[in-house]
Amino acid sequence: MKYIEIGLGNRWLVRTETELADGSEYEQKGIVWPLKLHSVYIRCWAGHTVYVFDIRSGFKRTRKSRKAFKLIFGISSYL
């Protein structure tokens, strides 16, 4: 899967994170084409709590051990 994210809190304002089948992942600056749309989401990370609203899987709330602030609009794409 590829995740194209636009927003505050990541290393770059616009980035593409690619997850490979073996579980490894890497980031690239900007948008890496081509895109095969899978889902669209909004992620808000405030303190230890992460709120995600995804058009495919709905609303989720999770806790993280690391404290951060992020406000992200994202697109998930098939490789």
Side-chain angles (χ1 to χ4, degrees):
M1 294 290 285
K2 281 196 289 189
Y3 300 95
I4 294 83
E5 297 185 333
I6 302 166
L8 303 173
N10 288 333
R11 184 182 303 173
W12 299 295
L13 186 62
V14 179
R15 74 167 185 155
T16 300
E17 179 179 310
T18 304
E19 283 185 1
L20 303 176
D22 65 0
S24 62
E25 58 185 43
Y26 61 93
E27 292 181 8
Q28 294 173 285
K29 187 175 183 178
I31 298 174
V32 177
W33 302 93
L35 295 179
K36 298 177 188 172
L37 184 65
H38 176 256
S39 185
V40 176
Y41 60 92
I42 296 174
R43 181 167 41 124
C44 179
W45 184 335
H48 294 281
T49 307
V50 181
Y51 302 97
V52 179
F53 178 72
D54 188 305
I55 61 169
R56 268 194 187 255
S57 56
F59 180 78
K60 293 181 185 177
R61 185 182 70 156
T62 58
R63 302 272 304 164
K64 301 281 187 173
S65 59
R66 185 168 64 97
K67 199 173 189 181
F69 175 77
K70 295 183 180 189
L71 185 57
I72 305 290
F73 169 77
I75 299 169
S76 60
S77 169
Y78 296 107
L79 290 176

